[in-house]
Amino acid sequence: MRRIVIVGGGYAGFYTAWKLEKRLKPREAELVIIDPRPYMTYQPFLPEVAAGSIEARHAAISLRSHLKRTRIIAGGATMIRHADKTVTVRPADGPDFVVDYDIIVVTAGAVTRVLPIPGAEEVAIGMKHVEEAVAIRDRLLTAFDRASVMEPGPDRSRLLTFAYVGGGFSGVEGFGELLSLATSLLKRYPEIRFSELAFHLVEANSRILPEVTDAPGRWVVESLRTRGGHVHLDARVVSAVDGHVVLSNGEEFDANLIVWTAGNAAHPVIAKHTDLPTDERGRLIVRADLRVGTPDAPVLDAWAAGDNAAVPDLALPTPGALTVPNAQHAVRQGKRLAANIAATLHGELPRDYRHHSLGVVATLGLGRGIFQYKRLVITGPLAWLMHRGYHVLAIPTWERKIRVLVVWLTAFVLGRDIVSLLSVQDPRGAFVSGGLPHAR
């Protein structure tokens, strides 16, 4: 019985294992997933988690609950040696150990790209995982509580200032949702005025949302500015020491929260710690059928998909075009990858991955959104409903679909829950202090 080891339990990894369980008989292969987190994060829901529209756990798909025949190894892969067919795993506790395999599937994804900017690593929060989205939400809610009892001044202004760095989908959706949450909180906090809120979106290029065309991109900028957001185009963060943000255009402000969504970087194990072939950006070189290698020289028993793979985009007429790193491709690549592995084990030929875009859709806050498919552009509440409809269909398992729908319906009737649980990051605080407020 062959052992198929999947490195990474994100979209592509989860769907590969999920579909292999259905395509292969129990005695045909042993399935193994290696990932430090015991769940798959459905990243398109993270902005709504940050805004309190979705419960955090509902944006995470438990690997152990939904993968019935797959062994889950809780640890991070630190080395892939295909010459020996081994993966070195580092668990949270104890020494590293080695896992042997017959077939390797690399779906480790990408990591947040952090530039060498003073202060960024010390103060910024990413937005790739559920824990980060929860922290962002709790930071904003706690800031409102603290600011409501402070006198006007620099400290109060800092508490009510929030910045997103990066104008891609993660940054724009997160920015729009958090701005929507903050605006809705004002009716619960009469001590705070709208004019005191400061939301900054910083983008190094001259436009945001590169996946949409110019006119819809400009509409999004104007929409965010109309709602009170400060959108800084052609601007880079040059310093963020102690939360004091300095931009390349000379503007400066103090921020209570800095969310870093300025692109992706290659996963370290792929970029530096494998003998599998990689390109100049640290991604695995992949054929159209998702086997690692070139069209003329496949690497036997090695497959890859998702953000860590340079997958040819056969749906585009441009020679050498690659699929963009998004959930839409990762999910479908995982399904195709499972089908191709099963086909090769059954003596059949694998098929090339080809997927025509279904369009792009983004949420910009409660009741606001944008959708574009070729020349068709829809904005406003209808686009927002299309965003919710698409993603409730796309999130795997009926169990998660039902949970998300119930929370949405509850929030529609009763409103969003605005309780901050920031103290969960210091669970012993109340025990140690005896209930007295912490010194700041």
Side-chain angles (χ1 to χ4, degrees):
M1 185 165 63
R2 295 191 178 188
R3 176 182 289 171
I4 302 174
V5 170
I6 302 169
V7 178
Y11 298 115
F14 174 84
Y15 273 93
T16 299
W18 201 30
K19 296 302 180 181
L20 280 175
E21 287 189 348
K22 298 178 181 180
R23 289 179 174 272
L24 300 178
K25 297 177 181 178
R27 290 291 180 181
E28 283 190 272
E30 175 191 1
L31 303 177
V32 178
I33 275 187
I34 300 172
D35 197 286
R37 288 179 169 82
Y39 57 82
M40 182 204 87
T41 301
Y42 192 72
Q43 291 183 357
F45 278 159
L46 293 186
E48 293 202 56
V49 171
S53 298
I54 291 179
E55 288 296 325
R57 286 183 176 85
H58 299 170
I61 315 299
S62 170
L63 300 180
R64 295 183 186 274
S65 295
H66 299 287
L67 300 178
K68 307 299 184 181
R69 289 168 35 208
T70 302
R71 177 189 172 197
I72 312 298
I73 296 180
T78 60
M79 175 72 72
I80 300 174
R81 287 187 55 82
H82 194 61
D84 304 327
K85 290 195 171 180
T86 61
V87 179
T88 303
V89 179
R90 178 163 298 165
D93 303 290
D96 293 2
F97 58 90
V98 172
V99 177
D100 300 319
Y101 64 81
D102 297 294
I103 298 173
I104 186 76
V105 177
V106 186
T107 54
V111 297
T112 300
R113 182 182 62 180
V114 180
L115 302 176
I117 295 170
E121 287 195 45
E122 289 75 22
V123 300
I125 298 176
M127 202 161 113
K128 278 189 171 293
H129 303 290
V130 172
E131 302 94 329
E132 294 170 325
V134 173
I136 291 167
R137 174 176 178 267
D138 287 346
R139 185 77 69 86
L140 181 139
L141 293 173
T142 301
F144 268 69
D145 283 329
R146 293 173 58 187
S148 66
V149 294
M150 295 177 67
E151 294 294 328
D155 291 339
R156 177 169 164 137
S157 296
R158 180 191 181 104
L159 277 174
L160 298 175
T161 300
F162 310 91
Y164 271 75
V165 181
F169 264 90
S170 293
V172 171
E173 288 190 312
F175 182 83
E177 285 286 351
L178 207 67
L179 177 58
S180 176
L181 172 61
T183 304
S184 69
L185 287 175
L186 292 174
K187 60 184 177 183
R188 308 290 181 93
Y189 290 85
E191 306 90 347
I192 299 175
R193 299 185 303 276
F194 175 78
S195 59
E196 294 182 274
L197 300 180
F199 277 77
H200 298 268
L201 176 63
V202 182
E203 169 54 43
N205 296 309
S206 59
R207 51 163 299 175
I208 61 175
L209 294 181
E211 293 86 352
V212 303
T213 52
D214 290 346
R218 289 193 296 270
W219 179 88
V220 173
V221 171
E222 291 306 314
S223 174
L224 294 175
R225 285 175 172 166
T226 301
R227 293 162 54 193
H230 305 277
V231 182
H232 308 270
L233 300 178
D234 290 316
R236 293 177 174 83
V237 176
V238 298
S239 178
V241 176
D242 296 329
H244 181 72
V245 179
V246 180
L247 304 183
S248 57
N249 60 11
E251 296 185 64
E252 301 182 24
F253 54 86
D254 290 316
N256 174 43
L257 173 68
I258 301 174
V259 183
W260 200 272
T261 62
N264 296 323
H267 195 286
V269 73
I270 310 303
K272 301 177 182 178
H273 303 291
T274 183
D275 56 356
L276 293 169
T278 58
D279 65 8
E280 68 281 355
R281 295 181 59 183
R283 299 170 300 180
L284 290 172
I285 297 173
V286 177
R287 295 156 41 108
D289 61 6
L290 303 179
R291 284 187 284 192
V292 175
T294 63
D296 299 325
V299 178
L300 296 179
D301 300 324
W303 304 76
D307 292 359
N308 65 196
V311 180
D313 194 341
L314 302 184
L316 295 179
T318 308
L322 302 175
T323 58
V324 296
N326 63 22
Q328 193 176 133
H329 279 300
V331 168
R332 286 161 178 77
Q333 286 170 10
K335 295 177 180 179
R336 171 46 47 200
L337 202 158
N340 282 353
I341 292 176
T344 58
L345 292 180
H346 296 155
E348 303 169 3
L349 293 176
R351 292 169 52 189
D352 289 347
Y353 171 75
R354 184 190 299 268
H355 171 64
H356 293 276
S357 174
L358 302 176
V360 293
V361 61
T363 174
L364 303 174
L366 201 61
R368 300 175 175 90
I370 183 169
F371 168 82
Q372 181 174 17
Y373 177 71
K374 296 182 179 179
R375 295 185 179 181
L376 174 64
V377 178
I378 300 173
T379 60
L382 178 58
W384 174 76
L385 286 173
M386 293 171 69
H387 174 273
R388 286 201 161 184
Y390 171 79
H391 285 297
V392 80
L393 291 174
I395 192 171
T397 80
W398 279 103
E399 176 258 347
R400 274 299 180 262
K401 298 179 196 294
I402 293 171
R403 288 183 185 273
V404 169
L405 279 172
V406 168
V407 171
W408 278 342
L409 291 173
T410 304
F412 178 77
V413 176
L414 303 177
R416 287 186 277 207
D417 195 326
I418 61 170
V419 175
S420 169
L421 297 178
L422 189 64
S423 58
V424 76
Q425 298 179 31
D426 182 22
R428 297 186 66 251
F431 175 76
V432 172
S433 68
L436 294 175
H438 288 283
R440 300 197 186 281

